[in-house]
Amino acid sequence: MLIQRPSDILPSEITPRTLFEERRRFLRDAGLLLAAGALGGALPSAEAAVTAAPKLGPLGASPFSTSEEKTPYKAVTTYNNYYEFGTDKSDPAENAGRLITRPWTVRVEGLAGKPRTFDIDELLRLAPLEERIYRMRCVEGWSMVIPWVGLPLASLLKQVEPLGSARYVEFVTLHDPKVMSRLPVLDWPYTEGLRLDEAMHPLTLLAVGLYGEVLPNQNGAPIRLVVPWKYGFKSAKSIVTIRLTDKQPATAWNKAAKHEYGFYSNVNPQVDHPRWSQATERRIGEFRKRPTLMFNGYAEQVASLYQGMDLRANF
Ligand SMILES: Nc1nc2c(c(=O)[nH]1)N[C@H]1C(S)=C(S)[C@@H](COP(=O)(O)O)O[C@H]1N2
Ligand SMILES: [Mo]
């Protein structure tokens, strides 16, 4: 169940200990800032100072950020879809602490002039980290406003010099049966795909944090995709391989139910899911439903990518 995060509770008091230990290791290894003062006031004890979640920074602001009210940290980090850790919304927060997110590498390969493997620390330094406050819409009918921290996917792809023949990008996520579900809920590993122009779009983010802090495991640590004009399932978590291809990649949800989840998955209030309407959504924390916006409100930035396409056929 969702509970509002009271303003006097620090993330350090509601985050499982394993996450703290993981975050401390991340901090130490990455040489990131630990700004105790940024937690908002004096900390009550030395112990609290030691277990404070590491801040990412300094962060640039983004012109793409929405000024809408942010979904509370507690909801963003306890109401999750990450099926590798269970299918209940509360499962990822309970189980994803087992995931070891360092060391971590991301292989960028396929139709590229300079394919290579990036260490996560190296990847974090490719571009200045930005805060991007994005609306996110899940295909299930709920939405959130999340202050991500990340860098444009384009700044990583440019490093490997995509060949002229590259038209799509495939994302492969970790599947480690030692810590993740072995149940055949989806065809593991979870994969996703974008057209190359969607992948290169400035809104498309590789997120490494949220609320100014290192990404909690349940949100896809250490690195996940964020594509705000598409349904949430496009935003693959805990990515290990990014592959440039000339063919449209298979995607986990399309393989599971191809009539329900198409390759494009653009948020589109005019195209219903076969089993429910997509015309409205419930913003987490609100009771009255809101109308869902075309491209999740990002039409001005992305509609041109789909000019001339039948968005009912390419759903
Ligand atoms: N690897 C992986 N990535 C995933 C999923 C998943 O089950 N496994 N779920 C997707 C879905 S359906 C949604 S709505 C978003 C949720 O992201 P959040 O929990 O950070 O809000 O993650 C997406 N990425
Ligand atoms: Mo979703």
Side-chain angles (χ1 to χ4, degrees), residues 81 83 89 137-142 190 231-234 253:
N81 278 337
Y83 277 21
K89 293 285 176 278
R137 167 67 154 79
C138 175
V139 76
E140 296 163 337
W142 48 269
Y190 190 105
Y231 291 116
F233 62 87
K234 276 274 152 187
W253 280 102

Side-chain angles (χ1 to χ4, degrees), residues 32 39 58 67-68 108 135 148 162 171 203 262:
L32 297 166
L39 286 168
S67 56
E68 286 167 77
V108 189
R135 285 180 292 275
W148 299 110
F171 302 86
L203 279 174

Side-chain angles (χ1 to χ4, degrees), residues 2-308:
L2 284 175
I3 308 151
Q4 292 280 115
R5 174 185 164 199
S7 57
D8 58 348
I9 297 184
L10 295 172
S12 55
E13 293 165 32
I14 57 173
T15 305
R17 178 141 212 112
T18 45
L19 281 182
F20 276 108
E21 279 150 11
E22 176 61 21
R23 284 170 164 178
R24 275 155 68 191
R25 198 157 56 237
F26 186 99
L27 170 77
R28 195 190 57 219
D29 296 351
L32 297 166
L33 290 177
L34 173 64
L39 286 168
L43 289 161
S45 66
E47 171 62 11
V50 169
T51 56
K55 294 272 167 186
L56 289 162
L59 300 178
S62 168
F64 295 118
S65 286
T66 173
S67 56
E68 286 167 77
E69 197 185 330
K70 290 176 267 186
T71 302
Y73 179 91
K74 173 129 189 185
V76 173
T77 57
T78 58
Y79 190 87
N80 301 103
N81 278 337
Y82 195 163
Y83 277 21
E84 289 87 333
F85 291 106
T87 54
D88 285 349
K89 293 285 176 278
S90 56
D91 285 342
E94 277 168 35
N95 301 327
R98 299 196 294 255
L99 178 67
I100 304 292
T101 59
R102 304 194 87 75
W104 190 278
T105 58
V106 179
R107 173 85 192 149
V108 189
E109 62 180 30
L111 300 172
K114 294 184 174 167
R116 43 184 276 238
T117 301
F118 294 82
D119 184 81
I120 187 77
D121 294 324
E122 184 191 5
L123 204 153
L124 281 165
R125 287 190 298 265
L126 292 178
L129 293 182
E130 281 176 43
E131 177 168 82
R132 297 276 188 100
I133 307 170
Y134 281 165
R135 285 180 292 275
M136 304 298 289
R137 167 67 154 79
C138 175
V139 76
E140 296 163 337
W142 48 269
S143 64
M144 299 194 194
V145 174
I146 304 181
W148 299 110
V149 177
L151 66 160
L153 174 61
S155 46
L156 173 63
L157 292 177
K158 281 176 193 153
Q159 294 285 318
V160 302
E161 300 178 7
L163 299 180
S165 52
R167 295 192 48 221
Y168 295 92
V169 185
E170 181 181 15
F171 302 86
V172 184
T173 72
L174 182 73
H175 185 64
D176 180 353
K178 290 195 294 295
V179 295
M180 292 169 163
S181 170
R182 272 173 253 227
L183 300 173
V185 183
L186 291 168
D187 185 11
W188 315 122
Y190 190 105
T191 62
E192 259 305 339
L194 295 173
R195 227 168 49 191
L196 184 61
D197 58 344
E198 297 175 322
M200 296 298 282
H201 192 280
L203 279 174
T204 304
L205 200 69
L206 282 172
V208 297
L210 57 81
Y211 267 102
E213 299 175 359
V214 169
L215 204 58
N217 287 3
Q218 61 268 37
N219 293 91
I223 189 156
R224 59 89 58 87
L225 189 62
V226 175
V227 194
W229 71 95
K230 292 178 182 270
Y231 291 116
F233 62 87
K234 276 274 152 187
S235 295
K237 295 179 170 181
S238 309
I239 294 168
V240 291
T241 305
I242 297 177
R243 190 174 294 131
L244 290 147
T245 68
D246 54 0
K247 284 180 204 67
Q248 188 173 292
T251 66
W253 280 102
N254 184 255
K255 280 198 253 176
K258 71 174 186 318
H259 302 293
E260 303 195 0
Y261 309 106
F263 176 79
Y264 281 91
S265 310
N266 288 321
V267 175
N268 187 341
Q270 290 147 26
V271 177
D272 289 343
H273 183 280
R275 289 182 282 134
W276 60 82
S277 164
Q278 293 290 23
T280 62
E281 67 198 51
R282 194 174 68 85
R283 180 68 52 86
I284 295 298
E286 295 179 354
F287 293 96
R288 199 183 308 145
K289 287 194 173 182
R290 315 177 157 235
T292 286
L293 302 174
M294 190 66 198
F295 298 116
N296 201 27
Y298 296 96
E300 205 182 307
Q301 290 91 342
V302 302
S304 63
L305 296 175
Y306 309 102
Q307 234 158 34

